[in-house]
Amino acid sequence: MVTETARHFPTAGNYQEALQNPSVCFTHAELRESVPDLTKLRQPRAISGAFASVFPLTHTATGRRYAIKCFTRDVPDQQARYRAISEKLSALPAAELSQPWKIGFEYLPDAVLVGTARYPILKMEWAQGITLSAWLDAHHDDRRKVDRLTERFAQLILDLEAHGIAHGDLQHGNLLVADDETLRLLDYDGMFVPDLAGFAGTERGHRNYQSPRRGDDDFGTEMDRFSAWLIYSALKAVAIDPSLWRQLHETHGEYLLLNEDDLKHPEGSSRFPTLLSHSNLEIQQLAEHVRILAYQPLAALPALAPNPVAVVPAPTAPTTSASSGALPAWMTTGHLEHAATSVSPQQGTLDEPIGFAGRRVVDVLAMTFLVIAIAVGAFTVPLAPVLVVLASIGVWVARRTRVETIAHRSRLRDLDVRRGAVADTAGAADALQRDTLELDRSEQRRSSDQAGLRSQLKQRHDQELADIERRKITRATDLDRQILALEQRLREALRAALEQERSEIIQRELARFTLASASISGIGKTLTGELANNGIRTAADFTGIRVNPSTTGYSSTSTSIILASGRAVHVRGIGEAKGKSLLQWRDGLKTRAQARCNISAPTQGSAITSRFAADRRQLEGQRRSIDTDARTQRDQAKQRLEADQIRLSEDAAKAAAAAVRQRQEFARRRLEIQNAPQELAIIDARIAEVRRHRHVTSHRRYLKFVLVGR
C-alpha cells in the first residue's frame, strides 16, 4: 500500500484565481487550450464539494467538455486509490453493463499550478444529464417512466455488485439521468474496488442517504446496500403513487422521500408512517424493509433484490366476472374449503355426484321390514298401519344415515353458511372501518406516546447535563477559592519571612551602636552606666519608651524604657525628655539601617514556596480533572440517552411491524368485501348445482338402490 505524506491544499478561491489563466496553470496540453465556464463576475465557475471543487472546461478547438476536479483537502493514498479505481472501471466491458453509467477520468499528479506549487487534479469526461431529484420533479407523474428508471437503477446496482464495486456516496446529486433516460454515476472519490481491500474509507456519504449505523470503518462491497434500498424504494413508491413525491419531497430538498431524521427516528417521523400505512402493500413492505435495515450494521445488509418479499397488490376492482365462473386466486386458500372438493375451480360446476354404492345390512333390514309391513297390511291386520309407518320411518332413517346423503347435506349447509357470511358485506365493511379507525387511533396514540417518551428522555438528558455543569462550576469555584487562599498564605509567609529577615538585619546593625560611644543630649556616663545596669547597652536593646501617668495624685509622670524582649523597665534619672532623646537617637540609627537594607525577597523564599508547591499541585490537578470528569459524565449520559433511544426505536419498530401486519390483513379483508358480489354469484351457482343433483340421493332413488342394488 502506498502512503502519501499529508500536505496543505489550496482553497476553492485559490483554484478559481489560478484557472483564470489555463495556459499558465495547467501542464496538460489539452487543458492549456481549454477555457473555464465563467460566472456573471467573469470568474471561473466552481461546483464546490466536501474536499474538492469541480470546474467545467471546454476545449477551444474541438468543443469537447471536461470536468476538472481540484482537491481542497488531502486524501490518504489518493493517487493509489484513483489508479485502482481507473484500472477497474476501464476493464469493465461496455457490453456487459446494463447502461453506459461509468464516466471516464484521468488522475494527473502535479497538473495545476497554484501560487508556486503544483497539485494533482482529476480530468473527467463531461456527463450530460440532470440530477435524479430534478428529473423526478419533472417526470414523477409519468408512472411508466419512473418505473422504467427504477429498473435501470436496480440494474446499475446489480452491475456494481457483480464486479465487487461500491460507490460509497449514492445520492440524487451523483445520479444523472441522461436524455435517453439511462443513468450516469458521478463522483468516484469514495469508491471501493477489490484492489482497495484493506484501505480505510475517505468519506461517509450524504447524510440523507446513509444508514445510521454506517461508521468510519465501513469500506467494502456492502457500503452501498442501504443507500441502494433507500433509493430503489423511493423510486418504486413514486412509480406506484406519484402523489407521494408532492407529499413527502420538499422543493430543493436534499433527499427523495426520507431524510436523515426519518431514518434515525422512524417512530417520530412524519414521513415514514405515510409509507408504512399506504394502501398499496408493496409500498408498505418496501418502507418496512428500509426501516428494518436502518437498525442493522452494513455488513449484515442484503444486496438489492427487487421484490424481495412476496408482494400483495393493493385492493383493486375484481377482474374476473361472476358469469365466467372462474375462481379468483385469493379465494383458493380456505374461503370455500368444503365446496372446493366438489367444484372445479376452472369451470365453476360440480362434478356429477356418484349415486348410492354398496348396500349395508341396515339398508336390507329396513327394506325387508317395510315389505313385511306392507304384506301384513294386505291381510288387514289391526296393527298393520302402525307397522307400515314404523317401517317407512326406518327406511327414511337408513337413507339419512348413508354417507352419500350426509355429504350432500353437509355440502349444501356449508355453502349456505358461507353465503350468509359473504352476503353481509355491509356488516363486514362497518367492522373493517371500525378496526381501521381503532388502529389509526392506536397508531396516533403510540406515535404521540413515543414522541412524549423521546421528549422525556431528552429533557432528562438535558437536566443531567445541567446538573453536571452545575457540579463542575461549584467544584471549580471551590478549588479556585482554595488556590487563591493558598496563594494568599504563600504571599503572607514570604512577606513575614522578609520582614523577619529585614528586622534581624536592622537589629544586628543597631547592635553595632553602643550608648557608651554615642553622644546623646543629657545622657552622660552615670546614666549610661545606669542604663547598662538595666540591660540597655546598644540601640538594639530597646524599642521605645512609655510615659506613665502619676499614681500619687501629683502632676509629675514617670518614664519606662521598652526592652527588645518587650519588658518595660524604669531607669533612675531617665525622665520623659531624656527618654525621648534616647529614642530619637535609636530611631535615627534605625532609619539609616532601613535605608541600607535593600533585600526584596527572603533568603528562605524557595524553601517557603516549596512547602506550598505540593498543595498547589494537588489543587491544580483536581482543577484540571474537573473538565475530564465532566466530559466522562457527559459521555455516560449520552450513552444512556442513546441506549434508551435505541430501546424506544426497537419497541417502535416492533409496534410498527405489527401495525403493518394488521393493515395487510385489513387490505385482504377489503379485497374480500370488494369481491363479495363475485364470490356470492359463485356460491349461488354452486348451491343451485348441488340442488340440481339432489335426485341422486332422493328417497325414490334409495328405494330402487336397495331393491335392485343400483
Side-chain angles (χ1 to χ4, degrees), residues 1-5 74-83 107 196 199-200 202:
M1 183 186 300
V2 179
T3 303
E4 300 173 358
T5 304
D74 185 48
V75 177
D77 312 301
Q78 189 177 67
Q79 186 168 352
R81 289 175 185 272
Y82 283 118
R83 182 184 300 114
Y107 180 82
L196 293 181
F199 280 65
T202 60

Side-chain angles (χ1 to χ4, degrees), residues 180-377:
D180 61 356
E181 295 182 356
T182 57
L183 291 166
R184 303 292 183 271
L185 189 58
L186 306 182
D187 191 1
Y188 303 157
D189 295 337
M191 180 173 279
F192 172 85
V193 296
D195 285 350
L196 293 181
F199 280 65
T202 60
E203 59 178 275
R204 297 179 66 174
H206 197 296
R207 60 186 180 86
N208 289 332
Y209 289 83
Q210 296 303 319
S211 166
R213 295 296 182 90
R214 180 172 177 178
D216 295 331
D217 296 331
D218 288 310
F219 186 65
T221 55
E222 72 286 344
M223 65 179 176
D224 280 346
R225 290 179 177 174
F226 181 82
S227 305
W229 276 112
L230 181 66
I231 296 171
Y232 176 84
S233 300
L235 290 172
K236 197 68 177 176
V238 174
I240 295 171
D241 182 0
S243 68
L244 289 173
W245 182 256
R246 295 185 294 273
Q247 185 177 355
L248 301 182
H249 180 79
E250 296 177 359
T251 304
H252 307 304
E254 293 292 308
Y255 62 93
L256 297 182
L257 299 184
L258 299 172
N259 63 20
E260 179 185 28
D261 291 337
D262 300 316
L263 300 175
K264 286 186 175 180
H265 309 297
E267 71 286 351
S269 165
S270 61
R271 297 181 180 86
F272 242 124
T274 302
L275 300 175
L276 292 171
S277 62
H278 197 277
S279 60
N280 183 278
L281 293 188
E282 185 172 4
I283 293 177
Q284 290 182 22
Q285 290 171 334
L286 286 171
E288 175 66 6
H289 195 60
V290 169
R291 189 193 61 75
I292 292 172
L293 294 182
Y295 290 98
Q296 299 180 13
L298 265 64
L301 300 186
L304 179 65
N307 301 320
V309 289
V311 174
V312 181
T316 57
T319 57
T320 306
S321 65
S323 62
S324 69
L327 187 64
W330 61 272
M331 290 176 59
T332 60
T333 53
H335 295 283
L336 294 175
E337 294 89 344
H338 302 293
T341 60
S342 55
V343 179
S344 169
Q346 287 75 29
Q347 299 175 353
T349 59
L350 289 167
D351 294 331
E352 185 68 26
I354 300 174
F356 294 114
R359 286 179 294 185
R360 302 171 301 173
V361 173
V362 67
D363 298 324
V364 176
L365 290 176
M367 182 57 68
T368 301
F369 182 49
L370 178 61
V371 171
I372 293 172
I374 293 172
V376 170

Side-chain angles (χ1 to χ4, degrees), residues 513-520 523 528 585:
F513 297 96
T514 62
L515 290 171
S517 61
S519 176
I520 303 172
I523 298 177
T528 298
W585 169 72

Side-chain angles (χ1 to χ4, degrees), residues 405-437:
T405 309
I406 293 173
H408 182 84
R409 289 199 311 271
S410 176
R411 188 179 304 119
L412 193 58
R413 184 173 57 251
D414 289 345
L415 288 171
D416 285 337
V417 171
R418 181 60 187 164
R419 189 186 191 287
V422 173
D424 187 20
T425 55
D430 289 342
L432 176 60
Q433 184 178 11
R434 287 195 302 272
D435 292 345
T436 303
L437 289 175

